[in-house]
Amino acid sequence: MASFTPQQQEAISTLDRNVSVSAGAGSGKTRVLVERVVGLITDPIHPVEADSLLIMTFTNAAAAKLRADITTRLAEEV
């Protein structure tokens, strides 16, 4: 797994509440969201249904990339 800043790691590992990830272009937002989503879905004790997650992006292209990246990471976990 890639290395993350303390703030990124906090966003990934905070599972008991909602988080907002907002940062400039190229800062790793997509990587953080992918890891967070994969962590929520694959949690061994309290897994979250993917259909219950709301992830908002500004463009359809960003949503498509996020969806593809999550699918790739989930395939890696299997």
Side-chain angles (χ1 to χ4, degrees):
M1 177 167 35
S3 62
F4 295 97
T5 68
Q7 295 84 359
Q8 289 171 324
Q9 189 58 53
E10 182 179 3
I12 292 167
S13 62
T14 301
L15 303 178
D16 61 340
R17 61 187 175 276
N18 297 328
V19 298
S20 175
V21 177
S22 177
S27 62
K29 292 181 301 293
T30 300
R31 287 188 322 124
V32 167
L33 288 171
V34 167
E35 291 304 315
R36 180 173 170 75
V37 168
V38 170
L40 288 167
I41 292 171
T42 62
D43 185 284
I45 298 170
H46 301 290
V48 173
E49 292 290 327
D51 291 345
S52 70
L53 298 173
L54 173 64
I55 305 168
M56 297 173 56
T57 64
F58 284 106
T59 66
N60 289 335
K65 173 153 178 36
L66 186 60
R67 202 169 20 252
D69 289 354
I70 290 168
T71 300
T72 299
R73 272 292 285 122
L74 285 172
E76 291 171 1
E77 290 293 316
V78 174

